[in-house]
Amino acid sequence: MRILLSNDDGCTAPGLLAMARHLRAEHQVDIVAPDRNRSAASNSLTILTPLRIHRHADGTICVDGTPTDCVHLALASLLAEKPDMVVSGINNGPNLGDDTLYSGTVAAAMEGRYLGTAAIAVSMSAYNPKHYDTGARAVMQILAELARNPLAGPTILNVNVPDVPWEDLQGFEVTRLGHRRQSEPVGEALDPRGRPIYWIGPAGPGADAGPGTDFHAVEHNRVSITPLLIDLTRHSLMGKLTEWAKAL
Ligand code: MN
């Protein structure tokens, strides 16, 4: 297969390099990724300023934009050959539950949806992972199974991998997204010139994190695979809301 590899941690991030090493053993790989850490960029697209790229000697393309910009540019312009699918990661840190709303890793995978194949976002459970190889091997297994038994339509698979040696994994589990509590408080301080500065706090702990959730699987050393939808419509409320709206 021809695979477009991107991420949100930047084009020199160790997780991206580990994923590339494994993918290149079996596939054609193009790397188009942000030129710096753009974590939590979500699906943002840069439309008010132009984008510039830097081509490394090994063919990696670094873009001064968001993860979504990278995949968008790659598919619409930069790549001579259209890839079969997008892999995004391996991210430093989990993308569980509500994280998927903010995640640039997930967004890069989502931007590959027009390819009509499964796109994979992969994240390690730790912020300074020691076992990227575990994440990369998990993705290689998922890719092999997709080749044997393709999933219909543009599915986004959100994969979270426990940061443990491969031998310690307790298998794979298909999960739903859990939920987090509200994030930690915003940090407030003064800059050296006495002006206030604010720093968004880290994500909150898992709240809805029981059996069947992505949180629970990773906590129990299983690779979590959650299929994501782009459609945010709350279909279950359509009928009731239609009734409600008659009074408008
Ligand atoms: Mn990241």
Side-chain angles (χ1 to χ4, degrees):
M1 274 198 298
R2 198 163 191 105
I3 293 175
L4 169 59
L5 177 62
S6 192
N7 75 348
D8 75 358
D9 292 336
C11 59
T12 59
L16 179 100
L17 302 181
M19 193 67 251
R21 219 169 28 246
H22 282 255
L23 286 173
R24 283 192 165 128
E26 294 181 29
H27 302 283
Q28 298 270 74
V29 181
D30 295 302
I31 301 178
V32 183
D35 65 357
R36 69 201 78 172
N37 190 331
R38 299 303 303 264
S39 292
S42 188
N43 300 83
S44 78
L45 205 53
T46 302
I47 56 169
L48 299 181
T49 55
L51 294 163
R52 292 178 194 277
I53 67 166
H54 183 80
R55 282 179 201 267
H56 284 230
D58 69 357
T60 296
I61 300 177
C62 304
V63 181
D64 66 346
T66 65
T68 301
D69 290 332
C70 291
V71 175
H72 193 93
L73 277 191
L75 299 183
S77 168
L78 295 175
L79 300 184
E81 264 190 77
K82 198 174 110 168
D84 298 303
M85 66 179 296
V86 174
V87 173
S88 175
I90 303 166
N91 189 58
N92 282 352
N95 277 305
L96 301 166
D98 310 65
D99 300 340
T100 53
L101 289 178
Y102 305 103
S103 171
T105 307
V106 172
M110 280 186 178
E111 195 62 16
R113 65 191 178 277
Y114 296 112
L115 294 173
T117 52
I120 298 176
V122 55
S123 308
M124 299 300 295
S125 63
Y127 285 97
N128 287 300
K130 295 184 186 68
H131 302 285
Y132 290 117
D133 275 350
T134 303
R137 285 177 71 174
V139 170
M140 295 306 288
Q141 286 218 350
I142 292 169
L143 289 176
E145 192 52 38
L146 281 172
R148 270 192 295 272
N149 191 7
L151 295 168
T155 306
I156 292 129
L157 299 179
N158 186 40
V159 178
N160 281 276
V161 182
D163 188 36
V164 298
W166 179 258
E167 307 76 59
D168 294 347
L169 272 189
Q170 301 298 310
F172 291 67
E173 183 181 346
V174 172
T175 58
R176 67 173 176 86
L177 296 181
H179 287 289
R180 289 189 183 278
R181 278 186 230 292
Q182 204 174 357
S183 56
E184 303 295 326
V186 167
E188 295 183 34
L190 295 177
D191 77 5
R193 290 169 187 79
R195 296 169 298 202
I197 52 174
Y198 303 91
W199 206 321
I200 303 277
D208 169 12
T213 66
D214 46 0
F215 288 90
H216 190 267
V218 168
E219 181 72 33
H220 291 80
N221 281 349
R222 293 189 287 275
V223 175
S224 165
I225 308 177
T226 308
L228 300 182
L229 276 175
I230 304 271
D231 182 356
L232 294 176
T233 310
R234 188 166 169 187
H235 290 278
S236 64
L237 197 61
M238 291 293 287
K240 196 174 170 194
L241 191 65
T242 303
E243 281 305 307
W244 176 90
K246 282 178 181 162
L248 296 177

